[in-house]
Amino acid sequence: MSKQTWLTGITTSGTPHLGNYVGAIRPAVDASRNLDQEGFYFLADYHAMIKNQDPVMLRESRQEIAAAWIALGLDTDHTTFYRQSDIPEIMELTWMLTCLTAKGLMNRAHAYKAVVQENVDSGSVDPDKGITMGLFSYPILMSADILMFKATHVPVGRDQIQHLEMARDIAQRFNHHYGELLVLPQVVVEERAAVLSGLDGRKMSKSYGNTIPLFDTAKKLRKSIMKIKTNSQEPGEPKDPEGNTVFEIYRAFATEEQTEALRTAYAEGIAWGDAKQQLFELVDGVLSEPRERYNELMADPSVIDAILQKGAEKARAHSRPYLEELRRAVGVS
Ligand code: TRP
């Protein structure tokens, strides 16, 4: 069996939160320590630009996210950790793929359809209001990210499964037309990597403003956790863990035994305040050491810059010759 290539990206918009950690960073960090795999992990800053055209925020967020991944233990020696924007070959591949992608396929993308739906629901006369070509072709850029490095395994959150299907579709079309040059990636949805709910019970997402930041101080972390919306059940009343945000986040950080213990406590009527305190202690225990490393990295950007520079060189050692091959295949070399 040939070596597996794992690859994942994180869109550098906003400050990293617990949902990013559970859905993307933790599985990537675990995989980065597996020496049987080749790993590519990158900061999807051109994806961030789709939604965020504030240069200062873009830069800051990219720094925070890089620091978070490193502080949480990404093995940057053994894997390749880089900025998407440092790899110009990705942009060139994006165009090649764009020329082979059916517009109808992009019409079906959830991310784009959601915005159209919002426009329709708000009674706007233009269903495409505020929709750029960047948003519309987002799955093509993501496909190029993946196909550029011949990724075989792509760990993502559930909301990204459709994008992986599209990447396979697009790669198949390319291969059918130009020969078997692209590798079809396989999606990996880690079972524990549930899509976390946020403070208000909807999916934890920057766009809903309901996130719990990863590296706030312990005090602020506790304050956020205490704000998680719960129902009005009194202490002593048995509580249902299913669909409960406190329980769900707890489970994402806990061992199976810890989860079972909390399940029992719910059945026995634990007070919401006590359940939240337990959640805080668990999460703080996991994050307190990485938090210190994170603060050090944020204080001295040169360390991160050097790591990313080295990553870009390693990445381009793959992407440069491979793009040459692809250019020959499509007839532009
Ligand atoms: N679109 C992904 C997200 O928002 C991030 C991403 C960009 C990505 N390119 C990728 C993930 C390639 C995996 C592979 O979460």
Side-chain angles (χ1 to χ4, degrees):
M1 203 185 75
S2 64
K3 204 169 175 179
Q4 297 179 349
T5 300
W6 286 58
L7 174 145
T8 201
I10 182 164
T11 305
T12 56
S13 51
T15 297
H17 57 70
L18 299 190
N20 299 140
Y21 173 65
V22 169
I25 307 176
R26 185 174 60 193
V29 166
D30 290 347
S32 79
R33 288 148 184 267
N34 181 340
L35 299 187
D36 296 333
Q37 299 169 0
E38 169 113 44
F40 291 90
Y41 299 102
F42 68 94
L43 304 162
D45 45 3
Y46 272 138
H47 273 101
M49 192 183 155
I50 294 170
K51 277 202 193 151
N52 190 337
Q53 283 127 29
D54 176 336
V56 175
M57 275 177 60
L58 206 73
R59 188 171 292 117
E60 267 176 18
S61 157
R62 193 175 68 181
Q63 198 69 9
E64 288 175 355
I65 290 173
W69 282 51
I70 296 167
L72 288 161
L74 187 79
D75 180 343
T76 57
D77 290 325
H78 163 244
T79 62
T80 305
F81 184 53
Y82 55 99
R83 291 180 279 240
Q84 179 188 38
S85 60
D86 279 340
I87 318 298
E89 291 78 18
I90 294 174
M91 294 304 122
E92 214 172 316
L93 178 57
T94 298
W95 184 253
M96 292 181 186
L97 300 179
T98 301
C99 293
L100 288 174
T101 302
K103 175 172 175 287
L105 183 69
M106 294 300 99
N107 286 343
R108 292 197 286 277
H110 299 316
Y112 158 71
K113 273 171 57 180
V115 185
V116 172
Q117 195 56 46
E118 271 169 38
N119 284 336
V120 171
D121 291 347
S122 70
S124 166
V125 285
D126 179 9
D128 281 335
K129 186 173 156 233
I131 296 173
T132 62
M133 288 307 295
L135 175 65
F136 186 66
S137 11
Y138 167 125
I140 309 178
L141 175 57
M142 181 158 161
S143 301
D145 290 332
I146 296 168
L147 300 171
M148 187 81 260
F149 295 100
K150 302 185 184 171
T152 57
H153 294 74
V154 181
V156 286
R158 283 174 208 289
D159 58 324
Q160 299 290 322
I161 294 173
Q162 188 197 30
H163 294 147
L164 262 292
E165 285 162 4
M166 290 177 160
R168 291 173 63 92
D169 242 19
I170 296 170
Q172 259 165 333
R173 251 175 113 120
F174 186 101
N175 285 351
H176 183 71
H177 200 81
Y178 294 112
E180 296 291 319
L181 286 159
L182 301 177
V183 174
L184 266 52
Q186 174 181 325
V187 67
V188 182
V189 182
E190 207 218 335
E191 271 324 307
R192 286 212 312 167
V195 176
L196 284 195
S197 302
L199 298 176
D200 59 358
R202 292 186 292 172
K203 178 191 162 185
M204 190 182 291
S205 160
K206 187 184 82 103
S207 27
Y208 294 144
N210 64 357
T211 64
I212 302 176
L214 258 182
F215 291 129
D216 267 351
T217 60
K219 204 171 155 197
K220 281 195 186 158
L221 175 66
R222 185 167 183 282
K223 228 172 142 183
S224 296
I225 288 175
M226 290 298 159
K227 277 195 219 144
I228 296 172
K229 203 169 117 192
T230 46
N231 61 26
S232 56
Q233 281 182 302
E234 299 287 338
E237 280 186 70
K239 299 180 174 64
D240 185 3
E242 291 322 312
N244 175 257
T245 305
V246 176
F247 189 80
E248 186 193 279
I249 301 177
Y250 189 91
R251 175 159 55 189
F253 282 83
T255 62
E256 245 164 71
E257 283 131 47
Q258 288 172 316
T259 303
E260 284 321 300
L262 188 65
R263 189 188 297 283
T264 306
Y266 269 52
E268 290 167 354
I270 187 172
W272 288 130
D274 294 339
K276 289 175 178 179
Q277 179 63 27
Q278 285 200 23
L279 174 60
F280 163 69
E281 283 168 17
L282 177 71
V283 174
D284 188 55
V286 172
L287 295 180
S288 61
E289 267 184 37
R291 184 190 294 134
E292 275 175 41
R293 277 198 297 277
Y294 175 85
N295 289 334
E296 283 165 23
L297 288 164
M298 286 304 285
D300 178 9
S302 68
V303 177
I304 293 178
D305 284 348
I307 290 174
L308 291 172
Q309 216 46 54
K310 189 188 74 184
E313 278 161 34
K314 266 163 83 179
R316 294 193 74 196
H318 291 265
S319 60
R320 253 196 242 102
Y322 187 36
L323 185 75
E324 247 343 281
E325 221 182 299
L326 299 173
R327 287 174 62 113
R328 266 198 304 279
V330 305
V332 300
S333 71

